[in-house]
Structure formats: structure tokens, C-alpha cells
Amino acid sequence: MKIVFLLTNIPNPRINKRIKAFSEFAEVHVVCFRRTNMDVYPLVRISGVQYHIRDMVIPSMKHVVKRLMALVNYLRFSKICLKQIRPNLVYLCGLDNLLVASISISREAKICYEVADLRESYTNRDKLSLRGLFDSTIRMLEKCLSRKVSFLTVTSIKFYDTYYYKLFSRNQVIEVPNMPNLEAFRDYKPKHGGEFTIGFVGAIRYIEQMKMLVDAAEEADIKVIFSGASLDKGNALLAYCKDKPWVRFTGRYDFMKDIADIYSRLDCVYSVYDAANFNVRIALPNKLYEAVVAELPIIVANNTYLGELVTEWGTGVTVDYDNKAELVDILKRLKQKDGYYQQMVENCRCKKADINVSMYLDQLCERIKKL
């Protein structure tokens, strides 16, 4: 069996887990762009997997014409690769790749579509503006292309419950939460002593919530660490934090090599995003599971699916995404590390046994083998 991962970026840690799992029973190829303007993740080569990589600048969707030109170049490159490889299955993320695969592969080849974010185009119902017309076209395109998809993988079942139920039957959907590879935490040792430190781990997308953390940390007299690539909004945050000695940036990291060390520097995890964004309200970021494995309380936004689970599990606390005063109060209380803090740590320990991505990946592999 030949499987191609079709991506418009270097595989991230989530996709690398799928690549490794599939390589144990199939011939796996990765066809992707290395975004020279957005090099968030280092390339991690998995033994036995063949990589076909093209370096290119990929404009954002705000620059529609330039984005389409890049897509045409990607289509040419991908089509050549797919014709040479002749895969039985194409595993992909993003509408760009769904379009490319639909045009380029044979009728016999299967398509698996993974969704880890819900595009704003899918929730915009304004049909009168130019943006509304564009978003309506995007939705119609995905609806048409989805007819060629054998099954859908989602990292949060809410993506299906709130939108994709319109395009797929329930038996076409499999949930694979974005849980970490536990091997990366094998040498993890919790932080002991020192100044109370809260950390944000990952790419920065919601800068106002990051600024709120920086300002609240100053008032609570604690330290902040940002770990991840600094691009666009990340660079803006770097500028905002100039001459703020309580804030430190550690830069881009290799998940398998560095993640245990990153979390060993923290007393608490920050994962508050702009809950006015519909995708934020239903997504489940990897920080949820990483914080549990690291046995660290996590702070997340109110009125989100993430917040519901954190409250249910008792592994953290929720705050309004735009309420700095509330965040200051919570940081001051967590800083005491009294029974309030320790109970969350204990709840993380109890929940750790459920954080097992291998179980979900096994289910995904079995689903693919049956196609």
C-alpha cells in the first residue's frame, strides 16, 4: 500500500505521529512545501519515509491572487509527484490540498481529509458583502470536493458536530485528539523551587491574549516564558516585550528533543485564546493534553469546549479572554501553590492514564487498512 501525505507546510508534530504510524504498514511519501516565509517547524525525517519538498513563499489568504499563483505552482509540483508515486491513499489537511488531490489522483485512489481548525469562511453567513460571497464560494467548493473523501479525521469532535455533519455521515468520521507522543516526556522532571513561571508553548496566533498575560504577570510578580517560533504576530509580541525583564522567549523547538525541558521550566500553562473566534470555542489544542502529562495546571478561556473539559477534569481554571484583572487574581492564587494548586496537579495525575494517542492512532490505522 502506498500512502502520500499532501501538505502545504513541513509536517508538524501532530502529522508526524500519523506519518510514523502509517510507515509501519505502508510505503509512505510526504509531498509538501517548505514555507520559507513561515518556517514554524523543523523537518523531522522519519526512517523509511520518502520526502518530496519544494521551497516556496506561500502568501496568506488575504492576498488572494498571490495565493492562487502559489497554489498553481504547488499543483504542478504535486501533480508530478502524485503521478510518479501512484498512491492508493492520499492523506491531507486543508482545502488547498483537497483541491490538488481531487485533480491529480486516479479514481481508484482514496482520500482522507483531516481537520484541525475550522476556517472562518465556514461560519460567516454574510452573503451580501464581497467577503461573504468569497466565503460562500469556499464552502461550496469544499462541499463538492468532499464527495471524493472516504473519511474525515478531526482533532475535536465539535468540528463535526457544529459544521461537518452537513458533509459527512457519522460513520465517515474518526476523532484523533492532538495528544502528545509520550516518548517525548520520558525524561520529564517537574520544576521545583525558583520563581513562579507561567508558559505559553507553541505558535502565537492571538496577540491580545498574549499581551494580557504579559501585563498580568507583571502585576502578579511572576515570570513568563514563550516557547515557539516568532513569526509575524510573534515578532510583534517580541517588540511589545522589549525591556520587560520578567518575559523570556526561548524560540523554535524540536518537539521530541525539547518539549520535556520546556515544561520542566514551568509551574503553570497558559492557553487563553480569543473566544470571540468560533474556531477557538470548539477546538482542542495540544496544550490541554501536554499540561496533563506534565502535571501542570492550565489556564484557558471561558465559554469554550476546552474550558468545559478543563473544568470537568479539574486540571486547570478558566478566565474571560479579555479580563486582565481576573487573570491577575488567578495568577496570584496559583502562585501560592496551596491546596487549590495542588488539587489541580493531583487531578492531572489521575487523568494521565487517559492521554494515550497510540490508541487513537491504532484505530486510524485500522480504518485505513480496510479501505
Side-chain angles (χ1 to χ4, degrees):
M1 185 179 194
K2 291 183 180 180
I3 299 176
V4 166
F5 280 82
L6 194 58
L7 311 166
T8 49
N9 50 263
I10 292 296
N12 59 32
R14 184 186 85 252
I15 294 299
N16 276 328
K17 288 193 282 286
R18 280 97 165 117
I19 293 172
K20 188 174 188 303
F22 295 178
S23 69
E24 294 178 4
F25 66 88
E27 177 184 319
V28 176
H29 297 253
V30 175
V31 176
C32 69
F33 273 164
R34 191 192 332 257
R35 299 189 180 201
T36 54
N37 59 323
M38 194 182 292
D39 190 16
V40 177
Y41 299 102
L43 175 62
V44 178
R45 292 186 179 272
I46 295 170
S47 178
V49 175
Q50 299 181 53
Y51 292 84
H52 314 262
I53 301 172
R54 174 68 61 85
D55 289 350
M56 183 173 286
V57 173
I58 308 290
S60 71
M61 285 300 294
K62 294 179 181 178
H63 306 285
V64 178
V65 175
K66 292 182 179 179
R67 176 85 173 197
L68 288 175
M69 290 174 63
L71 179 60
V72 170
N73 289 329
Y74 179 52
L75 173 60
R76 291 171 181 161
F77 170 67
S78 302
K79 195 168 185 177
I80 291 171
C81 292
L82 290 170
K83 283 191 173 182
Q84 290 175 342
I85 299 167
R86 299 175 62 85
N88 305 105
L89 171 77
V90 177
Y91 196 98
L92 53 84
C93 306
L95 186 56
D96 289 356
N97 290 309
L98 183 55
L99 176 60
V100 169
S102 299
I103 295 172
S104 305
I105 63 175
S106 67
R107 292 182 180 180
E108 294 76 23
K110 307 293 186 181
I111 295 176
C112 177
Y113 188 27
E114 176 159 329
V115 172
D117 283 302
L118 198 63
R119 300 170 67 107
E120 291 183 18
S121 299
Y122 301 160
T123 59
N124 180 13
R125 290 295 179 263
D126 175 15
K127 298 182 179 180
L128 300 179
S129 67
L130 183 61
R131 173 60 192 268
L133 178 62
F134 173 78
D135 289 344
S136 179
T137 302
I138 290 293
R139 292 194 297 271
M140 184 60 66
L141 176 62
E142 186 184 46
K143 182 178 181 180
C144 293
L145 296 176
S146 293
R147 295 168 186 162
K148 301 184 179 183
V149 174
S150 295
F151 71 90
L152 177 77
T153 304
V154 293
T155 56
S156 169
I157 198 61
K158 291 293 185 180
F159 293 140
Y160 176 76
D161 293 340
T162 60
Y163 181 76
Y164 281 99
Y165 71 92
K166 304 172 187 176
L167 307 182
F168 298 92
S169 63
R170 186 62 183 87
N171 62 7
Q172 285 182 283
V173 180
I174 182 168
E175 182 184 18
V176 184
N178 195 9
M179 295 177 175
N181 185 335
L182 297 181
E183 183 67 19
F185 286 86
R186 182 178 56 181
D187 299 323
Y188 170 72
K189 295 180 181 179
K191 177 175 176 284
H192 293 291
E195 296 179 280
F196 189 93
T197 302
I198 187 169
F200 177 83
V201 183
I204 295 169
R205 299 173 62 185
Y206 302 98
I207 191 168
E208 293 306 317
Q209 282 65 49
M210 302 304 115
K211 288 180 178 179
M212 184 173 77
L213 171 62
V214 170
D215 296 341
E218 180 182 23
E219 293 189 32
D221 192 26
I222 66 171
K223 301 294 185 182
V224 180
I225 292 178
F226 290 99
S227 290
S230 295
L231 302 163
D232 296 334
K233 294 178 182 179
N235 288 332
L237 185 64
L238 274 169
Y240 183 77
C241 294
K242 184 180 179 181
D243 300 324
K244 291 180 169 61
W246 64 95
V247 182
R248 184 156 64 97
F249 292 81
T250 61
R252 192 176 74 168
Y253 59 86
D254 181 314
F255 185 87
M256 292 302 295
K257 293 179 180 178
D258 304 326
I259 201 68
D261 179 63
I262 289 170
Y263 278 100
S264 70
R265 305 176 191 182
L266 307 180
D267 299 283
C268 182
V269 178
Y270 185 76
S271 190
V272 177
Y273 303 136
D274 183 357
N277 182 300
F278 185 77
N279 181 65
V280 168
R281 295 201 295 272
I282 62 175
L284 292 180
N286 53 355
K287 266 76 75 177
L288 168 67
Y289 309 107
E290 291 170 9
V292 170
V293 173
E295 299 179 5
L296 296 173
I298 186 171
I299 302 176
V300 303
N302 272 325
N303 301 315
T304 62
Y305 183 37
L306 173 61
E308 289 177 21
L309 289 185
V310 166
T311 300
E312 178 185 333
W313 297 353
T315 57
V317 60
T318 63
V319 300
D320 288 339
Y321 72 94
D322 56 356
N323 191 330
K324 187 186 76 169
E326 183 182 19
L327 179 58
V328 171
D329 289 342
I330 287 171
L331 291 175
K332 286 181 177 178
R333 183 162 186 192
L334 290 172
K335 180 182 176 181
Q336 303 305 313
K337 286 200 170 182
D338 55 13
Y340 176 72
Y341 178 96
Q342 296 301 332
Q343 184 60 59
M344 294 179 196
V345 172
E346 183 58 35
N347 290 339
C348 286
R349 289 174 183 155
C350 295
K351 194 66 183 176
K352 277 176 71 171
D354 297 332
I355 310 303
N356 183 0
V357 72
S358 297
M359 175 181 67
Y360 292 95
L361 288 175
D362 288 345
Q363 294 173 2
L364 179 60
C365 291
E366 289 304 312
R367 187 71 171 264
I368 286 175
K369 290 176 184 177
K370 292 177 182 178
L371 288 177

